[in-house]
Amino acid sequence: MSSALFRTKNVEQSIQDTEEPEHSLKKSLSALDLTVFGVGVIIGTGIFVLTGQVAKNNAGPAVSLAFVVAGVVCALAALCYAEFASTVPVAGSAYTFSYSSLGELPAWIIGWDLVLEFALGTAVVAVGWSGYIRSLLDNAGWHLPDYLAGRDTATGFGFDILAAALVLVLTAILVLGMKLSARITSLVVAIKVVVVLIVIVAGAFFVRSGNYSPFIPHPQPVPAGGNLKAPLIQLIFGWAPANFGVMGIFTAASVVFFAFIGFDIVATAAEETRNPQRDMPRGILGSLFICTLLYVAVSIVVTGMEKYSRLSVEAPLADAFKAIGHPWYAGVISFGAAVGLTTVCMILLLGQTRVFFAMSRDGLLPRFFSRVHPRFRTPHRPTILLGVIIAIVAGFTSLSELAELVNIGTLFAFVVVAISVVILRRTRPDLPRAFRTPWVPVIPVLSVCASLWLMLNLPAETWLRFVIWMVIGFAVYFLYGRTHSRLAPGRQTATGETRRPPAGNTP
């Protein structure tokens, strides 16, 4: 029983599966496309919203250091992702990586986790996008009825028509093809990067050095509490975190980590990349480096324009320009935020459909979803299914508290990928690796420790919801996935060949 749960799918078989005509994706992406995808999904909610929240409540002007800390945690994970994505250029990201190293059950767990992460991320961003659009419409004198503005606005029935419509339109774009998605993303990313540069360059002229004093405000202890909204580390060890001060920077880092979510989605497009061995590391590391620089620069400028204690939580960048008498800049920033969140939503949806597709191709989910469109060569069935479900969720649900589930899901994936790199180095030293994570096992161990530290700083209720989702996942695996897996003895492949677990490949 235990050997079946940890049966591995070797790298050669994973790559061979991508060559089956009915289950192969079109290779059309370059290193530039991947970098644009990474920048497109990373620059979004974090840079337009979280800067003010964490500066005002957690770190003060030192919020720039919080972005650096979160960026370092992501960089450690990115080095591990880059090795795997160039060695195993197959759709599925952390799911595929863990299948080739840790085994089937751990792979299922991480795949199930990624489905939750990307689904909630897409819905949360769609609702945020809807809020920016409604704000722009209100400024123009056009007002949506409350019952079409979502649960947060309506007193009775509420359906966020804009959020749902956005998800459905992006679903159609993804069905039509990756190259079309890449072109649209490139245009939108160019717009929002220009807006971010406007904030940095224009805002630099209004910086006052007095707003940086004190750069690291005096720490203010947070009262200890026993409720589920308290960080898990507080409930376990009785340690009360502090706002501001040095510890406030780490508290802020666990919040702004949400701003970096998405670089790992680049890895889900490995199978659709023309030269993944060369381009995947460039896309993953390049997009993360660019976004970290932009985040730090924006946070320095904004906290210099206005005292951190007076920053807006809802729209800190736009409101900072309003506060100094430049509403035109505020309008441009609001437009850029709305445009920017569009690509975030699309690429999160892209990542989820690719993970779902990979799990279906392996038989852990119904194989019906692993057939690609005969013309567009995209996984149209899971894309349509998930797009409709997420549109409904985004329309009916208020997801502000569930957003933290995205953080814990991503950090869990980071831990699994880092461990998998070490294991695959030991079990398959013969594999050609176009990119090698430096200083193994030091870098993977640091990645695991840093990710676990941020996870412990998340609320206990987030952990509880995460555990419930995982329990549901275990039930699905044991009731369906374990017996329908293509590695199960006697299962038929897509070509009609009876497949048995490869000799010597099951622990």
Side-chain angles (χ1 to χ4, degrees), residues 27-31 34 85-86 89 269-283 434:
K27 298 182 182 296
S28 60
L29 301 179
S30 65
L34 295 172
S86 62
E271 192 174 326
E272 294 157 276
T273 304
R274 288 195 293 265
N275 189 346
Q277 288 77 13
R278 181 195 67 188
D279 294 341
M280 289 306 301
R282 293 180 181 180

Side-chain angles (χ1 to χ4, degrees), residues 349-434:
L349 182 59
L350 163 74
Q352 189 199 31
T353 57
R354 270 43 179 185
V355 173
F356 198 96
F357 168 79
M359 296 173 74
S360 173
R361 189 166 57 187
D362 290 332
L364 300 180
L365 291 172
R367 292 270 291 171
F368 170 82
F369 295 108
S370 66
R371 295 188 182 276
V372 299
H373 193 281
R375 177 182 175 188
F376 304 122
R377 310 303 300 171
T378 57
H380 59 296
R381 290 172 177 174
T383 301
I384 294 171
L385 171 68
L386 296 170
V388 171
I389 292 175
I390 294 172
I392 295 172
V393 171
F396 279 115
T397 311
S398 175
L399 295 171
S400 55
E401 292 184 357
L402 294 181
E404 288 168 337
L405 272 170
V406 183
N407 277 14
I408 196 170
T410 303
L411 288 165
F412 181 64
F414 286 2
V415 171
V416 172
V417 170
I419 294 173
S420 298
V421 165
V422 177
I423 292 177
L424 200 63
R425 283 280 189 98
R426 292 179 178 273
T427 58
R428 292 299 306 275
D430 57 305
L431 282 176
R433 291 170 169 84

